Amino acid sequence: MPLRHREFHRMDNVGWLRAAVLGANDGIVSTASLVLGVVAAHATHDSILVAGVAGLVAGAMSMATGEYVSVQSQADTEQAALEREGGELLDDPKGELHELTHIYVARGLEPALAAQVARALTAHDAIGAHARDELGITESMRARPLQAALASALSFAVGAALPLLVVLLAPLSMLAPAIVVASLLSLALLGGLAARAGGARVGRGVLRVVFWSALSMAAASGIGALFGTPAA
């Protein structure tokens, strides 16, 4: 029995990794920054919690909406291209076969072999062959708007839940430092895992996410302190 060979490439992780990391990072940073701004404004514990929950819901919905609109636009573009290609296959099948043959020649096949491959693939699935080799559209990479929207909303909510958990557990007097420490540690871990899964340098990934996240939290705290109500 021949051995089945399957290679693992880190590039296989790029799609889901990007969406998950982006959503979770946004959830942690946005909610932690919002909560720190409200804390710096000397709000009550209940007001801080309400602001955090509102930030989680609004952020998750915003992520879902933005991702859906973006990916749906991509899906519409792909569908229009496939419909146009289908029409061209009906109107000029010989021309499309010739075009497919030239694609394979450009990729290194001998003309005779390229023509043979083009004829075989056209007979098997003409629109699939042109979608993959002419348009660059594959089934695994097709745009899926609802899936992308749900994944973005869920990853944001999971990230945003961390600062809210700190708000629930920490006393008001220790809330700000607890949120900062918990958020930065979580972001460092997330950045390190993402870098490792993607084959990048872990230290660089950690420093990058921690630096920009700390800057965001500091800015939000400064705004809250500047415009908030002085402590009694």
Side-chain angles (χ1 to χ4, degrees):
M1 178 182 295
L3 294 177
R4 298 180 62 185
H5 175 64
R6 174 174 171 80
E7 293 185 1
F8 174 77
H9 298 284
R10 294 187 186 275
M11 285 297 293
D12 295 339
N13 294 323
V14 170
W16 68 262
L17 184 61
R18 173 191 170 278
V21 169
L22 178 62
N25 271 353
D26 278 357
I28 296 174
V29 176
S30 299
T31 307
S33 298
L34 174 62
V35 168
L36 287 171
V38 180
V39 170
H42 306 293
T44 65
H45 196 277
D46 288 343
S47 297
I48 296 168
L49 182 59
V50 169
V53 172
L56 184 154
V57 174
M61 293 301 296
S62 176
M63 288 285 291
T65 301
E67 194 72 9
Y68 180 83
V69 170
S70 174
V71 178
Q72 183 62 57
S73 296
Q74 179 185 345
D76 291 342
T77 301
E78 290 178 354
Q79 185 61 35
L82 290 173
E83 290 176 358
R84 184 171 60 252
E85 195 64 32
E88 292 173 355
L89 282 167
L90 290 175
D91 295 337
D92 185 15
K94 290 185 178 180
E96 290 300 304
L97 180 62
H98 186 67
E99 184 178 26
L100 199 60
T101 300
H102 271 281
I103 291 174
Y104 298 143
V105 169
R107 292 181 181 178
L109 295 183
E110 293 295 329
L113 179 57
Q116 182 182 355
V117 171
R119 285 194 299 271
L121 291 179
T122 298
H124 175 69
D125 180 10
I127 189 65
H130 282 270
R132 179 182 61 253
D133 296 321
E134 181 182 350
L135 303 177
I137 301 173
T138 63
E139 186 59 32
S140 62
M141 298 297 291
R142 286 288 298 273
R144 295 177 175 83
L146 286 176
Q147 181 181 1
L150 290 174
S152 294
L154 180 61
S155 59
F156 183 97
V158 169
L162 172 72
L164 290 182
L165 183 62
V166 177
V167 172
L168 287 172
L169 298 178
L172 185 59
S173 60
M174 293 295 296
L175 195 51
I179 289 175
V180 170
V181 171
S183 298
L184 291 182
L185 285 176
S186 299
L187 287 163
L189 177 61
L190 185 62
L193 289 175
R196 183 176 180 82
R201 293 183 179 179
V202 173
R204 181 177 297 177
V206 170
L207 288 176
R208 181 166 52 234
V209 71
V210 168
F211 173 78
W212 290 109
S213 300
L215 189 62
S216 173
M217 294 179 199
S221 297
I223 294 296
L226 182 62
F227 295 102
T229 303

